[in-house]
Amino acid sequence: MNRTVIEKWADTVTPFYYYDLDLLRQTVETAKKEADRRGYILHYATKANANPKLLKIIFAAGFGTDCVSGNEILRSLECGADPGQITFAGVGKTDAEINIGLDNGIFTFNCESIPEMENINRLAEAKGKTADVSIRINPDVDAKTHEYISTGKKENKFGISAWDFDKVIAKLKVLKNLNLISLHFHVGSQITDMSVFAEVCLRVNSFNQWFKEQGFDLAHINVGGGLGIDYQTPDRNPIPDFAAYFAVFEQNLKLYPGQKLHFEPGRSIVAQCGSLISRVLYVKEGKTKDFVIVDAGMSDLIRPALYHAHHHIENLSSDGAEKIYDVVGPICESSDCFDKDVPLPETKRGDFIALRSAGAYGEVMASQYNLRLIPDSVF
Ligand SMILES: *Cc1c(COP(=O)(O)O)cnc(C)c1O
């Protein structure tokens, strides 16, 4: 962030989310180009950031969307998403949300349990429709990421496990208003070890073959999202290596002729274009360490408190000699700490502090805890 941008913020109320839309456009174009070259289809995971300005750019570039609530479907449609490119996941879809999907003719419901399949069938029948569905498979793969963002182990609540497949197939025979079109997988988030995706591919191959042997000619395979980003050195890797990521699937996945491969990237599209900008309220000298108390807190960006996530922290106003600080928010919780022992140039009241790589799972998770305001966004 350069000085002229920062000068413009003099009268802006902090904290706020700052989005670099040029970086977003470059990221979106890179992902799309690398996917198009291989014939892959991208559905942006709206839950990572549902800011309308960002959504419009992403959908204008030709992304479909992956939604996890009825309101995400409605927001995506308002921002230009193609209803025929909406996937709808989630273990607890309500009747009202399923009806939003049915009424808008979405691409597919990613079913996460047999009772859910029965319910979608009932609601589709009531409307005289057939719902295109996918089975979300829990492939029992360790995503090697934080346990709260790991979703593909057998002990996680997500997806249907292999031992239930016979029951699923028996159900599909009687549920006349469901049409199975795809198998869906999503094993976790912030995955940086590409061998995890290679392992997913091997599981997908065996499940794909098994469903084929049961007589299903599935037109689609959906491997979800999960590609990680560089939180440590965001300026070194502003755009994730989509080419290397897709290459893992190109090399390891066996698709049947005509089968289309779908992805649902969220974090990798939006994380690096966003920063949470705050002002320093006080610098408090402690016995063993000094605290930088900023006006942003865990209500604005909960990832450090919730997942022990690391965000690179910068002082945008100072170029003094480096000191070590704990950077904390104003909220009455000890977990309201953005990071400990952070090297920063000597910091004073009023300095602008940037928490980098906050474009994904930041603004969307903001709360009003302590009756604070939801942060604004600046572009
Ligand atoms: C959250 C989620 C995604 C996106 O994950 P990222 O790690 O942000 O890429 C994709 N698909 C499903 C089903 C999800 O729940």
Side-chain angles (χ1 to χ4, degrees):
M1 263 153 276
N2 61 41
R3 294 276 152 168
T4 50
V5 174
I6 297 162
E7 275 155 24
K8 276 195 215 149
W9 295 342
D11 298 322
T12 310
V13 175
T14 48
F16 60 87
Y17 276 92
Y18 171 73
Y19 294 106
D20 177 346
L21 297 183
D22 285 335
L23 178 58
L24 175 65
R25 285 190 194 92
Q26 286 169 32
T27 308
V28 162
E29 274 166 30
T30 307
K32 189 75 170 72
K33 187 184 79 195
E34 294 297 338
D36 285 352
R37 278 177 39 183
R38 298 165 171 89
Y40 297 166
I41 298 163
L42 302 179
H43 305 259
Y44 166 67
T46 293
K47 79 171 186 288
N49 191 320
N51 188 305
K53 219 161 185 147
L54 275 63
L55 290 184
K56 282 176 191 161
I57 290 173
I58 295 167
F59 298 142
F63 279 60
T65 176
D66 160 49
C67 296
V68 291
S69 74
N71 283 344
E72 281 190 2
I73 295 177
L74 297 176
R75 170 77 62 87
S76 298
L77 290 170
E78 279 161 24
C79 293
D82 173 357
Q85 289 297 332
I86 295 178
T87 63
F88 184 12
V91 296
K93 302 176 188 77
T94 65
D95 290 8
E97 291 178 314
I98 292 167
N99 280 329
I100 289 172
L102 290 169
D103 291 341
N104 287 288
I106 64 169
F107 171 53
T108 181
F109 293 85
N110 292 336
C111 297
E112 308 229 11
S113 67
I114 291 172
E116 182 196 334
M117 288 167 54
E118 290 169 341
N119 196 35
I120 295 174
N121 184 74
R122 178 181 69 85
L123 294 165
E125 189 178 8
K127 290 181 183 290
K129 293 188 173 181
T130 303
D132 285 339
V133 298
S134 312
I135 301 299
R136 177 168 181 176
I137 295 178
N138 184 327
D140 196 20
V141 168
D142 183 355
K144 299 183 184 142
T145 184
H146 191 278
E147 60 171 319
Y148 288 1
I149 50 173
S150 179
T151 56
K153 288 286 287 172
K154 60 180 183 303
E155 58 269 31
N156 295 129
K157 69 179 176 182
F158 298 98
I160 298 176
S161 293
W163 53 82
D164 278 332
F165 286 176
D166 288 330
K167 272 190 261 169
V168 166
I169 286 186
K171 271 290 166 201
L172 283 167
K173 294 212 170 97
V174 295
L175 299 176
K176 296 293 176 206
N177 295 73
L178 298 189
N179 178 32
L180 182 67
I181 62 164
S182 149
L183 303 180
H184 174 250
F185 305 81
H186 173 72
V187 300
S189 199
Q190 184 52 20
I191 296 167
T192 50
D193 177 348
M194 290 300 122
S195 73
V196 170
F197 294 116
E199 196 185 333
V200 168
C201 287
L202 302 184
R203 300 295 172 95
V204 174
N205 290 343
S206 73
F207 292 126
N208 197 11
Q209 186 186 348
W210 190 85
F211 274 86
K212 178 123 184 137
E213 285 164 6
Q214 309 304 308
F216 289 93
D217 269 316
L218 302 177
H220 307 276
I221 296 289
N222 182 339
V223 290
L227 176 61
I229 62 128
D230 184 350
Y231 281 102
Q232 306 293 330
T233 51
D235 289 327
R236 219 179 290 160
N237 292 299
I239 299 178
D241 192 347
F242 290 102
Y245 170 62
F246 291 139
V248 174
F249 294 87
E250 211 170 26
Q251 283 155 19
N252 294 288
L253 205 62
K254 287 201 221 86
L255 295 172
Y256 291 114
Q259 261 185 341
K260 290 262 187 244
L261 183 59
H262 299 248
F263 293 82
E264 299 168 338
R267 185 191 310 273
S268 56
I269 303 295
V270 292
Q272 297 292 34
C273 77
S275 297
L276 179 63
I277 308 294
S278 63
R279 274 195 182 89
V280 176
L281 289 173
Y282 306 105
V283 179
K284 174 165 139 176
E285 291 183 5
K287 200 96 203 123
T288 55
K289 53 172 72 182
D290 292 349
F291 296 94
V292 167
I293 303 167
V294 296
D295 61 9
M298 63 193 282
S299 61
D300 306 297
L301 178 63
I302 202 176
R303 299 188 66 260
L306 185 61
Y307 313 125
H308 289 282
H310 173 81
H311 286 268
H312 182 62
I313 300 177
E314 287 172 1
N315 182 327
L316 304 175
S317 308
S318 166
D319 37 29
E322 200 167 279
K323 293 185 69 175
I324 302 293
Y325 300 98
D326 281 10
V327 179
V328 303
I331 293 174
C332 301
E333 298 283 341
S334 291
S335 58
D336 186 29
C337 172
F338 287 119
D339 211 351
K340 294 188 170 169
D341 301 321
V342 187
L344 289 175
E346 180 150 31
T347 297
K348 59 183 188 316
R349 176 172 164 85
D351 285 355
F352 279 111
I353 299 289
L355 287 128
R356 300 287 309 277
S357 315
Y361 308 107
E363 192 182 346
V364 276
M365 286 194 185
S367 78
Q368 292 188 309
Y369 185 40
N370 287 193
L371 283 189
R372 289 165 56 81
L373 298 176
I374 299 288
D376 221 340
S377 42
V378 170
F379 304 91

